[in-house]
Amino acid sequence: VGDQNSAAAFDWLDDQARSRVEAGLRRRIVVRQVGDAVLDLASNDYLGLARDPRLATAAAAAAGTWGTGATGSRLVTGTTDLHRELEVALASFVGCDRALVFSSGYLANLGAVCALTGPGSLVVSDAHNHASLVDACRLSRARIVVVPHRDVDAVRSALATRPEQRALVLTDAVFSVDGETAPLAELAQACRTHGAALLVDDAHALGVLGPGGRGLSAGTGLAGEPDVVITVTLSKSLGAQGGAVLGPAAVIAHLVDAARPFIFDTGLAPVSAAAALAGLTALREDPGLAERAQEVSGRLYERAVRAGLDARPPEAAVIGIRIGTPDAAIAASAAALDRGVRVGCFRPPSVADGISRLRITARADLDDQDLERAVPAFEAAAIAAAVTASRSGLVRPEGPALTTSG
Ligand SMILES: Cc1ncc(COP(=O)(O)O)c(C=O)c1O
């Protein structure tokens, strides 16, 4: 084997890296420092539970009892009484028959969509759905129709004109970049009219929307319905790690037999199952947490608008801010960080319409002082975005219309 050939195997990566740099799309891994004084408005820790001592104590106890890993897949050695307890608690909290825990929300989506569809079925997916649902579509081998964002008529038409008998409609409950909600009641009605099932990804709604934070599906009266499947992550409001699918008993039994990310993946670490259980208990014991996250979200939105940012009124704990070019978004988030506030920076392909954004996320545990601290950072971000845009001669350009996000 020639040395020259082996050295050239990944040369093409240099070209790709160069074009990403030119487009402002290079990604950088950011290492958080212990005890840094930065105000975090970028995480998905909506209820501030990720550093709650109750969760840490439960996780430490689980490590003492079960060790540091699940040791095998759920069907071999990876199920402990903590997994069982978590599944029962999640199903009862959200109001579904059963739940099945996966090692991430991403895999819960892959598992549910692929096991419930397949060749000969139709999947209808919102154009702004999370990347895990997009990838699930690609893996499913079903016929995929990507419908315009929140367009219930397009869903109806895709369902009504299908030759396939089986169909599954996919939607985020709260869309992860702009934080807007899906028209769940109308989607459920469209599914019912046309004999389809509905899968709702409640990742950003669990802990924030619905009664006591039970999610938007529960809040819309859909949890527990025979034609509705809900997916959640344990890594946002619940302050832990992992994911779950909730739905009718027959669906969950089918996933145990057929969902490859359940069967062929090492089970969720017992440490994370224990933390998620403790997070769920904390939420049950303080149902006001969800409202507090929403209230903080409203107050952050007011401050962002006052600072001159093009923020979208929040419906949950996520506030999307349209910036424009990737460079302007990077400059804006860097300016906020210089003022001690971390905000999310979303660029293609994470934005379905190609318009880069900042994303501010609320936390129930933020106080008045935190909110005031955010103001100069938002102002600095607005100025940095405007300066960068004017330097490149572009003010909020329309990006290419993509059909899927992720
Ligand atoms: C809407 C949505 N679904 C699923 C996921 C994946 O969940 P996890 O991080 O647990 O894999 C995320 C984000 O991470 C998300 O935003």
Side-chain angles (χ1 to χ4, degrees), residues 126-369:
D126 187 289
H128 287 206
N129 275 343
H130 186 258
S132 52
L133 289 176
V134 174
D135 292 351
C137 288
R138 292 171 179 162
L139 267 181
S140 72
R141 293 180 295 153
R143 183 167 70 88
I144 310 299
V145 174
V146 176
V147 287
H149 187 40
R150 297 205 293 183
D151 188 339
V152 183
D153 284 339
V155 171
R156 263 190 221 105
S157 146
L159 293 177
T161 56
R162 73 186 196 266
E164 299 89 353
Q165 206 190 343
R166 278 194 286 135
L168 181 66
V169 173
L170 311 179
T171 188
D172 285 9
V174 172
F175 290 87
S176 45
V177 176
D178 278 336
E180 72 282 31
T181 55
L184 287 193
E186 292 90 331
L187 285 172
Q189 190 52 54
C191 287
R192 243 154 240 179
T193 305
H194 297 288
L198 176 65
L199 183 147
V200 181
D201 179 345
D202 247 324
H204 296 276
L206 183 70
V208 179
L209 298 181
R214 284 169 170 75
L216 189 60
S217 307
T220 317
L222 296 178
E225 290 297 300
D227 49 357
V228 174
V229 172
I230 299 167
T231 58
V232 296
T233 170
L234 313 176
S235 64
K236 301 190 192 297
S237 287
L238 297 185
Q241 192 95 22
V245 182
L246 295 91
V251 167
I252 300 304
H254 174 71
L255 296 188
V256 171
D257 287 333
R260 294 170 67 86
F262 179 79
I263 299 169
F264 297 106
D265 183 41
T266 296
L268 179 70
V271 167
S272 300
L277 252 176
L280 195 55
T281 305
L283 176 56
R284 265 184 199 282
E285 286 174 355
D286 185 358
L289 275 175
E291 262 170 44
R292 280 210 290 289
Q294 288 179 46
E295 189 212 317
V296 168
S297 184
R299 294 176 69 193
L300 282 170
Y301 164 72
E302 285 163 16
R303 281 157 180 76
V305 170
R306 251 189 276 136
L309 292 168
D310 182 9
R312 196 183 187 289
E315 295 180 62
V318 173
I319 305 161
I321 295 170
R322 285 160 59 102
I323 297 288
T325 61
D327 280 345
I330 290 171
S333 64
L337 192 58
D338 276 350
R339 300 291 179 114
V341 176
R342 184 178 291 116
V343 299
C345 177
F346 283 64
R347 295 167 287 160
S350 306
V351 284
D353 54 10
I355 299 171
S356 295
R357 288 163 171 77
L358 296 185
R359 188 180 76 174
I360 299 171
T361 48
R363 286 208 326 267
D365 61 334
L366 296 182
D367 60 21
D368 290 349
Q369 238 182 342

